[in-house]
Amino acid sequence: MTNPPRSLPYPLGVTLLEGGISFAVYSETADSVDFCSFGDDGTAGETVTRLTERTGHVFHGFVEGVGIGTRYGIRVDGPWNPAEGLRHNHHKLLLDPHATAIEGDYTWGQAVFGHDMNEPEKMDESDSAGSTPLCVITDPAFDWSGESDGSGPDVAPRTQLSESVIYETHVKGFTKLHPDVPEEIRGTYAGLGHPAAIKHFTDLGITAVELMPVHQFVQDSHLLEKDLRNYWGYNSIGFFAPHGEYASAGDGGGQVAEFKQMVKNLHAAGLEVILDVVYNHTAEGNHMGPTLSFKGIDNEAYYRLVEDDRGNYFDTTGTGNSLNVSHPTALGLIMDSLRYWVTEMHVDGFRFDLATTLTRQGGDAELHSAFLTLIQQDPVLAPVKMIAEPWDTAGYQVGGFPADWSEWNGKFRDDVRDFWHGSDGILGTLSQRVLGSPDVYEADRRSPLSSINFVTAHDGFTLADLTAYNSKHNAANGEDNNDGESDNKSSNGGAEGATDNEAVNERRARLRRNFLATLLLSAGVPMLLGGDEMCRTQGGNNNAYCQDNEISWFDWANADQELLAFTTQLIALRRENLALHPAWFRSAPSTGDSDTVVIERSDAEEFSDEDWKNPDARSIAFLLEHESGDAFALLLNAAENGVEFQVPDAPNAEWELALSSDPEQQVVAPVSTLIVRDCSFTLLRSRA
């Protein structure tokens, strides 16, 4: 006699078994949980299976006759007492927190809210089925070996941080208008994995693509009402599911294999895939938000509630809620998700949005929080890159993460912008940024590789707009230009926005090269905002989160080919010369270390304390050497006049021009002095 299949309390979610599935979901406060299936296309009537077993706080059961392709949701019954944080409502069809694919969108209205929108303390009894997406049971099989098509096995590049150049981009926006990507796959995972897209990455010389959120996210109702859409995707609801809209195969489960193929194609070209992940909050909002998943399963376990007012949410994200990282279930969800994307989807790293929120157990950010400790000891996550956005709405934590993490260094962005836009007294901090921010990291024995250097990112001006606008121009967002950062440390060069003024355009071009050079010639890990290399503009919009259109999409037809060639040359210089990407802090030659740097005034004298404090000082020279390679002299001049630099004797061959933001810069060997024109840089090279 054959024993019937037994259900499993772990792993949570769906486990494929012969003749059906095991399904498990965690809830401390629920009375019952039902698995609700809707057939293989979602049109069949609802079939309900009560999960009859309970192990600890995990409800689980065997569901017969369902399998790959089945659409489903869950209903959770239990106490309704919003004032105490209890929001169970059996009338609401909920998403499985561990669903690996999600099909469809929400139809916004009363049905998707657990409470009566007019009487918030009252339970709404309308059925949300038909107004909510459905989970899809997916096929985990994928030919990572490459045997079926002869492509060979997938091999993770595992690029060292010291060799990395990260490229932040958007799955849809990068290829939506790409002329060499077939139209039917533009804006999709398949499009990003297409040879034409990959060629741009490899020709440019970057080593990793950092993708803006690809976890399943929700389109905000307030944006849809304005005929706008959430473009950035920082509104997650499914932490295991690739966003279905980005799949040319549709959202019925094919998005999983399409994502995997994209990763495999990028790996084959030597490119790593880093995901921007949003574990700090979900799309369910605050106490007046919809009931889509976690809120109706176990509100207290998944969300931080206000201690003395459990009807409201403790929010350090600005979105209405924060995940409860002090609870093992919420932490387990995050860890399960991270491991899934590494083991099943083969990604190479994560950038954690508002990572500081994830370190708050009792309210304060903690270096030894459970979240950071769990990641540090996990052998699956040990080989992949961990990058923090080290702040949230309640605090700024640059330099506050463990040694094996890297951090978006907002100080680099701000100080480099200030320097090139002529701020007073900035030389001292600018020198720290070029050296890899030792003022931030060295005291904790952390290397420059802790610093993810960037000048621009998705949030804010593009490089083109940073040099073309004094003010934000966000009217298209429908918020009367009140959204977005007002202090952008930008400069329009003499005219706001596009202009035919040749002098203004020439100055802007120099500034863009200056920013790119400072980014790519500084110690640390450079992150380039996708499109900056080709002068992508958003027309002065510095908060294009809701612009899923030509404002945000890459304009390949008008790419600045000269800037693209310049950026490509810069990246090649960095990657080919050890003096330009040291793994540790550059030290004085007297220490005998292999990486050395000398910092001088333009007259070749050392800086005194008074020099660093001089508000009018605008020029600086860095002499960069490595024992096994070429030496370089990086001359920076942010003054409004040309500056004559006294150039030291070349350590190897005579100095030659490597690169300059001034197209007319001339270097004739032997070089003892060199005039660097206003607001420009010059890089000299002495070949070994």
Side-chain angles (χ1 to χ4, degrees):
M1 181 177 179
T2 304
N3 292 325
R6 57 188 297 270
S7 68
L8 309 169
Y10 190 84
L12 298 177
V14 170
T15 300
L16 293 169
L17 298 173
E18 183 178 353
I21 65 163
S22 171
F23 184 78
V25 64
Y26 181 98
S27 180
E28 294 181 29
T29 54
D31 294 330
S32 64
V33 178
D34 292 336
F35 181 94
C36 308
S37 60
F38 295 83
D40 289 346
D41 58 6
T43 61
E46 182 175 347
T47 301
V48 177
T49 301
R50 176 66 53 90
L51 303 183
T52 57
E53 299 183 60
R54 189 172 184 181
T55 302
H57 294 304
V58 176
F59 291 81
H60 56 103
F62 179 76
V63 185
E64 188 174 4
V66 303
I68 294 169
T70 297
R71 274 65 171 169
Y72 71 97
I74 60 176
R75 296 184 187 273
V76 180
D77 203 4
W80 172 265
N81 187 353
E84 292 300 320
L86 298 167
R87 295 181 175 271
H88 297 296
N89 186 338
H90 192 260
H91 302 285
K92 305 306 170 184
L93 186 69
L94 307 175
L95 293 176
D96 168 16
H98 286 71
T100 55
I102 296 171
E103 179 181 54
D105 297 309
Y106 287 96
T107 301
W108 289 108
Q110 176 60 71
V112 298
F113 289 81
H115 61 275
D116 186 307
M117 296 172 72
N118 297 313
E119 299 180 59
E121 295 303 313
K122 180 181 177 181
M123 178 191 290
D124 175 69
E125 297 185 0
S126 60
D127 191 345
S128 67
S131 298
T132 66
L134 296 174
C135 307
V136 184
I137 299 177
T138 61
D139 186 352
F142 182 78
D143 182 20
W144 289 109
S145 70
E147 292 179 359
S148 62
D149 60 7
S151 60
D154 179 62
V155 178
R158 294 284 185 263
T159 307
Q160 295 294 315
L161 272 173
S162 60
E163 303 292 328
S164 294
V165 179
I166 298 172
Y167 185 90
E168 188 193 26
T169 193
H170 189 282
V171 168
K172 184 175 183 178
F174 185 78
T175 64
K176 187 62 179 176
L177 301 176
H178 199 302
D180 298 326
V181 173
E183 188 171 359
E184 63 272 16
I185 62 170
R186 291 177 188 169
T188 69
Y189 304 121
L192 197 68
H194 186 271
I198 291 175
K199 184 178 187 299
H200 181 79
F201 300 141
T202 54
D203 286 354
L204 183 59
I206 57 102
T207 66
V209 291
E210 181 176 302
L211 303 180
M212 292 177 66
V214 297
H215 288 167
Q216 185 73 26
F217 64 86
V218 174
Q219 289 295 336
D220 313 66
S221 59
H222 75 277
L223 292 179
L224 296 176
E225 290 167 1
K226 299 177 185 177
D227 291 326
L228 298 171
R229 289 174 59 79
N230 188 323
Y231 175 68
W232 287 355
Y234 293 90
N235 202 29
S236 301
I237 197 63
F239 296 117
F240 296 77
H243 190 60
E245 184 185 351
Y246 297 159
S248 62
D251 60 1
Q255 61 264 51
V256 177
E258 186 170 326
F259 184 93
K260 291 177 178 179
Q261 189 62 55
M262 175 197 73
V263 172
K264 191 170 186 293
N265 292 354
L266 290 165
H267 280 179
L271 297 164
E272 292 188 303
V273 179
I274 298 170
L275 301 187
D276 189 339
V277 288
V278 190
Y279 293 114
N280 57 77
H281 73 277
T282 79
E284 291 188 295
N286 61 16
H287 63 289
M288 296 299 288
T291 298
L292 312 178
S293 180
F294 312 96
K295 189 180 288 187
I297 295 172
D298 192 333
N299 190 46
E300 296 178 283
Y302 285 111
Y303 295 117
R304 288 194 66 187
L305 306 181
V306 177
E307 188 171 342
D308 298 324
D309 182 12
R310 302 188 68 74
N312 287 295
Y313 295 83
F314 186 90
D315 177 21
T316 57
T317 68
T319 65
N321 66 58
S322 301
L323 245 62
N324 185 8
V325 291
S326 64
H327 197 287
T329 299
L331 276 173
L333 175 80
I334 295 170
M335 296 302 295
D336 286 348
S337 171
L338 291 171
R339 284 190 290 261
Y340 176 83
W341 287 95
V342 172
T343 59
E344 296 297 319
M345 309 298 259
H346 287 207
V347 304
D348 306 286
F350 303 94
R351 177 267 188 189
F352 293 83
D353 178 64
L354 301 182
T356 297
T357 288
L358 299 175
T359 71
R360 296 184 186 277
Q361 290 180 209
D364 295 330
E366 299 180 33
L367 177 62
H368 300 294
S369 66
F371 167 71
L372 294 175
T373 300
L374 283 171
I375 286 180
Q376 187 169 15
Q377 59 78 45
D378 194 295
V380 172
L381 302 179
V384 305
K385 293 177 172 64
M386 295 290 172
I387 301 170
E389 182 183 36
W391 52 79
D392 60 13
T393 61
Y396 193 73
Q397 204 183 358
V398 174
F401 278 75
D404 50 357
W405 282 64
S406 298
E407 304 168 1
W408 272 29
N409 188 347
K411 293 184 177 182
F412 184 95
R413 172 199 59 208
D414 295 344
D415 291 341
V416 171
R417 289 186 182 191
D418 277 341
F419 174 73
W420 284 116
H421 285 142
S423 296
D424 293 340
I426 200 69
L427 268 188
T429 51
L430 183 278
S431 68
Q432 293 293 302
R433 304 305 151 242
V434 173
L435 295 178
S437 296
D439 59 332
V440 177
Y441 299 110
E442 195 169 32
D444 293 327
R445 300 178 64 84
R446 297 176 68 187
S447 83
L449 304 180
S450 298
S451 177
I452 302 294
N453 297 335
F454 67 103
V455 174
T456 55
H458 68 272
D459 188 2
F461 279 145
T462 65
L463 180 61
D465 292 349
L466 182 69
T467 56
Y469 293 91
N470 283 344
S471 304
K472 63 186 179 181
H473 294 263
N474 297 355
N477 297 352
E479 300 179 43
D480 297 324
N481 206 38
N482 291 317
D483 62 304
E485 178 60 57
S486 295
D487 181 13
N488 293 283
K489 301 179 183 293
S490 62
S491 172
N492 65 18
E496 188 75 354
T499 179
D500 293 329
N501 187 305
E502 291 185 9
V504 170
N505 285 330
E506 193 273 338
R507 179 182 175 85
R508 290 176 179 176
R510 282 205 319 280
L511 269 173
R512 290 162 189 157
R513 296 187 186 106
N514 293 342
F515 280 122
L516 288 167
T518 311
L519 171 65
L520 289 160
L521 299 177
S522 293
V525 182
M527 185 191 77
L528 180 68
L529 173 62
D532 278 356
E533 75 280 11
M534 49 194 253
C535 210
R536 182 176 71 89
T537 177
Q538 293 177 170
N541 192 322
N542 75 349
N543 190 35
Y545 77 102
C546 57
Q547 300 299 330
D548 187 3
N549 51 46
E550 287 83 354
I551 290 176
S552 299
W553 301 341
F554 284 47
D555 182 6
W556 295 95
N558 292 299
D560 185 330
Q561 297 299 328
E562 289 186 4
L563 188 60
L564 176 58
F566 178 86
T567 310
T568 301
Q569 188 176 357
L570 259 176
I571 293 175
L573 271 171
R574 176 187 178 88
R575 293 187 64 185
E576 292 168 3
N577 293 279
L578 292 173
L580 300 180
H581 62 271
W584 202 255
F585 290 107
R586 292 161 168 160
S587 55
S590 59
T591 67
D593 290 352
S594 59
D595 295 313
T596 64
V597 62
V598 176
I599 304 174
E600 295 179 344
R601 301 184 321 200
S602 59
D603 60 3
E605 296 294 327
E606 291 186 8
F607 278 89
S608 66
D609 290 342
E610 290 72 23
D611 292 328
W612 290 122
K613 297 174 185 176
N614 181 357
D616 297 322
R618 299 274 194 280
S619 60
I620 189 169
F622 298 87
L623 307 180
L624 313 169
E625 295 186 57
H626 189 278
E627 63 180 3
S628 63
D630 297 351
F632 294 86
L634 177 60
L635 314 178
L636 308 180
N637 177 28
E640 292 300 321
N641 54 272
V643 170
E644 183 177 59
F645 282 81
Q646 301 293 320
V647 182
D649 293 338
N652 306 305
E654 292 290 349
W655 292 116
E656 62 183 65
L657 178 64
L659 210 57
S660 177
S661 56
D662 176 11
E664 298 180 1
Q665 180 72 73
Q666 299 290 320
V667 174
V668 179
V671 181
S672 58
T673 63
L674 189 70
I675 296 176
V676 177
R677 71 162 295 177
D678 59 293
C679 197
S680 66
F681 87 92
T682 291
L683 181 69
L684 302 178
R685 180 179 198 166
S686 174
R687 295 184 183 272

